Amino acid sequence: MDPVSIRAQWCKGCGICVAFCPKKALRLENEKAVHNPELCILCGMCELYCPDLAVTVDKSQKKPQATREVANES
Amino acid sequence: MSVNNYIRERFFPHLWCPGCGHGTILNALLRTVESLGIDKSNMCMVSGIGCSARISGYVDFHSMHSMHGRALACATGIKMIKPELNVVVPMGDGDAMAIGGNHFIHACRRNIDMVAIIMNNRIYGMTGGQYSPLSGSGILATTAPYRSIDREFDATQLAMGAGATFVARTTAFHVKEIGSLLKKAFEHKGFSVVEVLTQCPTYFGRKNKFGGPVQMLEWYRDNTAPLGSKKLEENSDLIPRGVFRQVDAPEYCAEYAKIVEKAHKE
């Protein structure tokens, strides 16, 4: 199961999660965010950025290696 | 563990525009309350009027949607009657600095223990994009078709001048920082002011050709810097972020309790 679930009914397609995903694992399709689990590193930034509270990231599925947080360092 | 435990799901999707930063602040606030382990029945949110004020309808706390600018006055009453509650007062820039400016400075002066969040999008969104006291000069708004000539308040300086004991600023781009500053504000005993610079893509962004929500957030990323950083030292045009003040001072409810005790003894 995809650890990142997006509630399409709540998503307004603003594109913030798409723009600030450090791995470009999100895209917009028909004005709704869609997630690509293959690129995702489960950093959880999309969940924090989403103004619509539409994204939930299940971090329990996170693999121990390779997590890098790009945003919020500047 | 989910923020959904802290919201009234029946009112979602919320009414804020696509890309409005108010939702991001709500998101960070809920996560902060969750991380601090505060029971939602010990939380009280009081809001005034405006886009930002709709936030009190979405949280599953005790909540009060009060009058324009008067949220802090209502919150002061609630806190005095029930000092054990964690009172949080989210306000828009107009709500806090214009209509509620007087209540704001006096709440700062009293140092009553609550968290005031200024959701500063530099415009009155709900009423159609009029300029606010935080818009600043040279800004286009429906009430300033030839650009505004009013200078803006610095909300953090105002709060410090009025005596607030915790004052901080961040932006809707720095989502983790919103959480960490709100956590500090909740833990601080006294009046805490957290200004969050946020984006109104519908009015402010469109009128002033700032682009969409993503471009507005990028602007906040590129034009702010943490207090004490080299970046800020080198470029004084950047907007400082971080904790401006954190001092201890007698808290209003605690002082009032002492007066009550004294009166009972006599």
Side-chain angles (χ1 to χ4, degrees):
Chain A
M1 208 184 102
D2 190 345
V4 177
S5 59
I6 296 163
R7 240 167 136 150
Q9 272 188 321
W10 290 12
C11 174
K12 290 178 183 150
C14 66
I16 290 176
C17 61
V18 177
F20 297 120
C21 173
K23 289 290 171 188
K24 303 282 165 232
L26 290 145
R27 62 184 188 281
L28 284 182
E29 261 176 33
N30 300 322
E31 297 189 343
K32 302 283 174 191
V34 180
H35 177 245
N36 178 356
E38 282 177 21
L39 297 174
C40 181
I41 54 167
L42 292 181
C43 71
M45 290 310 289
C46 49
E47 182 179 49
L48 300 181
Y49 272 116
C50 181
D52 298 318
L53 276 66
V55 185
T56 311
V57 179
D58 179 7
K59 285 194 181 167
S60 65
Q61 296 189 38
K62 195 169 181 172
K63 290 175 194 123
Q65 80 275 19
T67 54
R68 196 165 61 96
E69 282 162 19
V70 173
N72 267 11
E73 277 175 5
S74 58
Chain B
M1 279 254 298
S2 165
V3 291
N4 289 3
N5 297 335
Y6 293 88
I7 58 174
R8 296 173 180 147
E9 282 204 28
R10 63 188 181 280
F11 297 128
F12 278 73
H14 56 57
L15 58 59
W16 292 317
C17 302
C20 172
H22 290 355
T24 311
I25 300 169
L26 169 66
N27 192 335
L29 175 70
L30 296 171
R31 286 175 205 280
T32 306
V33 172
E34 187 189 38
S35 72
L36 288 169
I38 306 172
D39 192 289
K40 58 187 179 183
S41 58
N42 288 329
M43 284 293 304
C44 178
M45 183 183 277
V46 186
S47 66
I49 295 294
C51 291
S52 59
R54 298 301 296 253
I55 193 171
S56 63
Y58 298 124
V59 291
D60 197 17
F61 306 152
H62 297 298
S63 62
M64 182 178 185
H65 194 167
S66 72
M67 298 146 284
H68 207 354
R70 276 64 182 155
L72 281 170
C74 297
T76 300
I78 292 170
K79 184 71 184 176
M80 301 259 330
I81 292 295
K82 290 208 172 286
E84 68 277 15
L85 284 177
N86 293 287
V87 179
V88 55
V89 187
M91 297 170 285
D93 45 316
D95 202 34
M97 299 280 114
I99 304 98
N102 207 16
H103 292 296
F104 180 80
I105 56 173
H106 289 285
C108 291
R109 177 176 62 86
R110 292 190 185 109
N111 193 33
I112 186 160
D113 183 26
M114 57 178 71
V115 179
I117 305 170
I118 304 172
M119 302 156 86
N120 177 10
N121 59 9
R122 303 176 69 191
I123 202 104
Y124 288 94
M126 187 166 280
T127 45
Q130 293 83 3
Y131 69 93
S132 88
L134 297 188
S135 296
S137 59
I139 290 302
L140 288 166
T142 47
T143 45
Y146 301 104
R147 296 190 184 274
S148 63
I149 55 169
D150 296 37
R151 295 166 67 204
E152 75 273 34
F153 272 134
D154 182 326
T156 53
Q157 296 288 338
L158 180 69
M160 285 192 279
T165 49
F166 181 94
V167 181
R169 179 196 280 138
T170 184
T171 83
F173 173 77
H174 302 89
V175 280
K176 288 194 173 172
E177 201 173 76
I178 308 176
S180 66
L181 291 178
L182 282 177
K183 190 159 180 263
K184 284 181 189 161
F186 273 108
E187 285 167 348
H188 177 74
K189 186 90 178 151
F191 193 72
S192 310
V193 179
V194 180
E195 183 190 18
V196 186
L197 303 174
T198 176
Q199 72 278 14
C200 173
T202 306
Y203 284 108
F204 193 87
R206 198 181 289 164
K207 279 257 177 214
N208 291 286
K209 308 247 182 316
F210 265 63
V214 172
Q215 289 74 32
M216 294 182 84
L217 286 171
E218 284 169 348
W219 192 89
Y220 282 134
R221 178 192 65 195
D222 300 337
N223 289 278
T224 63
L227 278 169
S229 67
K230 205 164 173 234
K231 202 174 156 192
L232 188 66
E233 221 171 86
E234 285 166 359
N235 185 356
S236 58
D237 291 338
L238 298 177
I239 303 166
R241 303 192 321 266
V243 180
F244 290 78
R245 176 195 275 173
Q246 186 165 13
V247 291
D248 288 324
E251 194 272 324
Y252 198 65
C253 294
E255 295 301 303
Y256 185 67
K258 286 181 199 163
I259 292 289
V260 171
E261 203 180 331
K262 203 171 168 186
H264 276 294
K265 273 184 191 160
E266 280 171 13

